[in-house]
Amino acid sequence: MATHWTLGCDADDPQQIAAFWARALGYVKEPGFDEPDSASIIDPDGRGPAIGFLKVPEGKTAKNRMHIDVRVAGPGLWDMTERARLIRQKVPELMSAGATVVREEWYGDVLGHVVMQHPEGNEFCVA
C-alpha cells in the first residue's frame, strides 16, 4: 500500500496561492484549514495528494527545485496535436487566475510545454 503524503509549499499568502492551485488542478479547499497562515487543498476524488501552504517570512530568492506540472492531456501516450491544443486552452485560464507565461518549450515543431509562474513567482509547467 502506498504511503499517503502531502506536498508542502511555502507562501506569502497561503489562502491566495491555495485558491490558485485549487482552480488550476480542480482541487477543493480542505475543511479546517481556514487560518490566514495556512491553507490546504485536496483532490475531491481522493486520488491525488493534499497540497499544504504555510506562510513564511522570506520571499522567493531562486528557481524552485521542485514544481508541479499540470498535465492537461492526462496520462500518456498522447496525440501531440490534441495535447498542444489543450495546453493552449489551459494557459489563458491560468493567466486569468494570476499566472504569467515565462516561455514555451518545443519538441521540434510540436509544443512540448509552457513554463509559467504562479502569483508569487514559483515556476510550473503546463504540459
Side-chain angles (χ1 to χ4, degrees), residues 67-89:
H67 65 267
I68 293 172
D69 284 344
V70 179
R71 292 177 61 173
V72 295
L77 299 168
W78 303 292
D79 172 320
M80 295 303 280
T81 302
E82 175 63 8
R83 183 173 170 270
R85 185 190 72 74
L86 292 170
I87 291 169
R88 295 222 180 274
Q89 181 179 324

Side-chain angles (χ1 to χ4, degrees), residues 74-115:
L77 299 168
W78 303 292
D79 172 320
M80 295 303 280
T81 302
E82 175 63 8
R83 183 173 170 270
R85 185 190 72 74
L86 292 170
I87 291 169
R88 295 222 180 274
Q89 181 179 324
K90 187 70 170 181
V91 167
E93 175 190 329
L94 298 172
M95 290 174 67
S96 73
T100 56
V101 172
V102 175
R103 69 182 176 278
E104 293 182 351
E105 294 287 336
W106 291 79
Y107 308 147
D109 62 349
V110 177
L111 177 62
H113 61 275
V114 176
V115 180

Side-chain angles (χ1 to χ4, degrees), residues 19-42:
F20 172 82
W21 282 112
R23 180 173 175 183
L25 301 174
Y27 271 42
V28 296
K29 290 179 83 170
E30 184 172 5
F33 288 88
D34 295 327
E35 298 296 321
D37 291 347
S38 68
S40 183
I41 59 174
I42 55 174

